[in-house]
């Protein structure tokens, strides 16, 4: 598996969580799903910033894409923190989740239609496999840190 496949897999998982949140009826279920979403998005963003983005800076074709992607990560992280301090019963909660969903969808769309194809054009299969290994190792390490912190 290469890094692009791993990233897309994370994207599908997050989309599924958003979908489940839209169907959730009670606050307890909503909170549980948000906690999962929070962990997934935080983990994914950190791992991309530690592995994919530094590699992208090495190529002319992808170098300039990193800044915008990092700005979008910052926006999502700020929304996540804002939502984390709310209760699912708060009237603003669902509106903020929707705002987060739109921000994440925009980022995913851009990443999958522009960034990842450029990464694929810039790096050979071996580099993408090595990056996938780094991505998985960083994710595994951070997962332990995040679960220990919560």
């Amino acid at each position: 598996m290469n890094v692009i496949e791993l990233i897309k897999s994370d994207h599908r998982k997050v989309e599924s969580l958003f979908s489940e949140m839209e169907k959730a009826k009670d606050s307890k279920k909503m909170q549980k799903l948000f906690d999962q979403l929070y962990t997934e998005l935080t983990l994914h963003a950190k791992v991309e910033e530690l592995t994919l983005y530094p590699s992208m800076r090495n190529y002319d074709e992808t170098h300039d894409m990193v800044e915008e992607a990092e700005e979008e990560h910052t926006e999502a992280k700020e929304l996540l923190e804002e939502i984390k301090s709310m209760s699912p019963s708060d009237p603003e909660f669902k509106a903020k989740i929707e705002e987060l969903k739109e921000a994440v969808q925009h980022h995913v769309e851009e990443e999958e239609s522009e960034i990842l194809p450029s990464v694929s054009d810039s790096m050979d299969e071996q580099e993408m496999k090595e990056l996938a290994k780094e991505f998985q190792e960083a994710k595994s390490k951070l997962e332990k840190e995040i679960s220990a912190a919560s």
Side-chain angles (χ1 to χ4, degrees):
M1 195 177 260
N2 70 33
V3 72
I4 291 173
E5 293 161 334
L6 286 175
I7 289 169
K8 286 183 175 181
S9 170
D10 279 2
H11 290 170
R12 300 297 82 81
K13 193 184 296 181
V14 165
E15 287 166 358
S16 169
L17 285 168
F18 275 120
S19 179
E20 283 184 60
M21 286 182 86
E22 287 171 358
K23 295 176 202 151
K25 298 286 181 243
D26 64 285
S27 293
K28 208 175 233 179
K29 175 89 171 152
M30 184 68 90
Q31 186 64 55
K32 184 175 181 253
L33 289 167
F34 174 72
D35 292 345
Q36 286 179 280
L37 182 70
Y38 181 91
T39 301
E40 284 299 323
L41 286 173
T42 302
L43 209 47
H44 180 79
K46 281 184 179 175
V47 173
E48 275 188 345
E49 290 162 10
L50 288 170
T51 59
L52 179 66
Y53 294 170
S55 295
M56 286 173 60
R57 291 189 199 291
N58 297 329
Y59 299 92
D60 293 338
E61 303 83 4
T62 55
H63 185 276
D64 296 339
M65 297 176 170
V66 177
E67 197 171 310
E68 184 182 351
E70 286 178 331
E71 285 169 12
E72 290 172 356
H73 277 190
T74 300
E75 178 189 356
K77 286 179 205 168
E78 287 169 358
L79 279 167
L80 279 168
E81 291 307 320
E82 209 175 314
I83 297 166
K84 190 178 182 184
S85 69
M86 300 173 145
S87 161
S89 56
D90 188 316
E92 276 288 292
F93 188 84
K94 280 192 173 168
K96 284 290 175 188
I97 291 289
E98 190 56 37
E99 191 180 335
L100 176 65
K101 180 183 173 188
E102 286 173 18
V104 169
Q105 280 176 328
H106 168 80
H107 178 72
V108 165
E109 204 173 284
E110 232 170 52
E111 207 164 64
E112 291 189 5
S113 67
E114 296 169 30
I115 295 174
L116 297 179
S118 293
V119 165
S120 181
D121 291 344
S122 305
M123 296 180 195
D124 63 33
E125 193 57 36
Q126 188 56 40
E127 283 176 288
M128 288 197 294
K129 281 185 176 160
E130 285 170 21
L131 203 50
K133 189 173 177 249
E134 282 178 42
F135 190 92
Q136 285 177 308
E137 286 170 0
K139 190 171 185 180
S140 178
K141 183 176 182 249
L142 286 169
E143 243 169 345
K144 289 179 186 122
E145 288 175 20
I146 287 173
S147 61
S150 52

